[in-house]
Amino acid sequence: EAQVTQNPRYLITVTGKKLTVTCSQNMNHEYMSWYRQDPGLGLRQIYYSMNVEVTDKGDVPEGYKVSRKEKRNFPLILESPSPNQTSLYFCASGRSGGLSYNEQFFGPGTRLTVL
Amino acid sequence: DAKTTQPPSMDCAEGRAANLPCNHSTISGNEYVYWYRQIHSQGPQYIIHGLKNNETNEMASLIITEDRKSSTLILPHATLRDTAVYYCIVHRWGKLQFGAGTQVVVTP
């Protein structure tokens, strides 16, 4: 089944404790992206990657790191999480088609709470 | 990327067509118009996208004005399962900006 998986789905952690949220897709997509969703602020893009070893900042990259060492995986790293990073996180992937990135498939979301 | 403007909410009767407007007056020539929807806190679901021409798929139709400054998503026969937040997005080169979207409630 074509899908985007995220782990963990739920996480409660404490300030400053490094964490990684994994994202994996099995559709051989070039494009992958991370978003966070907060009440009243909608979905905001954190980072995106157009292909292996190519990453770019979205609108809210501060406090996050990403890497794209292989096509299927795009982990989101919080080196020193803070309470303002408490949010619902989504990973997405899509095919590249020239200037269009066609439909993006979203993962089920990771609900992160930083105490 | 161009910003989009959508009405915050819209009601629609089950079985009727739902017409969702979106204004993107600052869109540039290479930017596509995308529509997604999100049910509760699930991951957004792709609906349709287009550049200049009108598009139709099994879910919806997308009508883009000739000047490309606005578009309309049409759900031809709304069902209760179409209740969701609908997002109109314009983007190119991978950077997406979701606005607040339109909360659509389909009523029996």
Side-chain angles (χ1 to χ4, degrees):
Chain A
E1 179 191 355
Q3 60 183 349
V4 177
T5 56
Q6 296 179 225
N7 283 292
R9 295 287 313 282
Y10 302 90
L11 179 62
I12 300 174
T13 188
V14 296
T15 299
K17 186 176 181 181
K18 181 180 178 179
L19 66 92
T20 298
V21 184
T22 64
C23 174
S24 183
Q25 51 94 3
N26 61 2
M27 296 166 278
N28 201 36
H29 286 162
E30 297 87 2
Y31 177 89
M32 298 187 75
S33 182
W34 276 103
Y35 302 85
R36 62 177 287 175
Q37 185 169 33
D38 303 289
L41 295 175
L43 278 148
R44 294 179 292 169
Q45 193 173 35
I46 303 171
Y47 271 95
Y48 62 100
S49 169
M50 296 203 206
N51 215 324
V52 175
E53 301 293 359
V54 180
T55 61
D56 282 292
K57 295 177 180 179
D59 287 325
V60 287
E62 295 77 20
Y64 304 94
K65 286 176 60 177
V66 292
S67 67
R68 189 87 182 276
K69 292 185 172 60
E70 47 188 344
K71 206 171 191 179
R72 63 181 295 125
N73 296 322
F74 191 45
L76 180 70
I77 303 157
L78 284 72
E79 294 269 3
S80 182
S82 62
N84 65 13
Q85 292 178 299
T86 292
S87 188
L88 177 59
Y89 291 86
F90 290 104
C91 178
S93 73
R95 287 185 295 113
S96 168
L99 291 173
S100 169
Y101 283 83
N102 298 302
E103 66 176 297
Q104 290 191 40
F105 292 83
F106 282 76
T110 294
R111 193 168 290 280
L112 172 66
T113 301
V114 183
L115 302 174
Chain B
D1 287 333
K3 300 291 186 189
T4 62
T5 303
Q6 298 177 253
S9 64
M10 178 180 294
D11 291 338
C12 178
E14 189 178 18
R16 302 295 294 270
N19 295 291
L20 283 64
C22 179
N23 181 285
H24 32 80
S25 59
T26 59
I27 193 170
S28 62
N30 292 327
E31 289 181 321
Y32 282 73
V33 179
Y34 282 75
W35 284 83
Y36 284 80
R37 72 181 184 184
Q38 185 177 26
I39 298 171
H40 296 300
S41 294
Q42 298 177 19
Q45 177 191 21
Y46 166 85
I47 301 173
I48 200 167
H49 78 283
L51 182 63
K52 295 180 183 178
N53 300 320
N54 299 337
E55 303 286 346
T56 295
N57 63 21
E58 64 278 2
M59 288 183 69
S61 295
L62 174 61
I63 308 297
I64 302 174
T65 58
E66 194 168 339
D67 63 9
R68 302 206 331 118
K69 292 185 177 181
S70 65
S71 61
T72 300
L73 178 74
I74 302 172
L75 307 177
H77 304 287
T79 70
L80 299 179
R81 288 178 294 181
D82 291 324
T83 292
V85 177
Y86 287 77
Y87 297 100
C88 168
I89 305 156
V90 294
H91 88 102
R92 65 183 176 100
W93 295 125
K95 192 168 183 179
L96 274 73
Q97 291 181 318
F98 284 75
T102 297
Q103 172 67 63
V104 173
V105 176
V106 181
T107 55

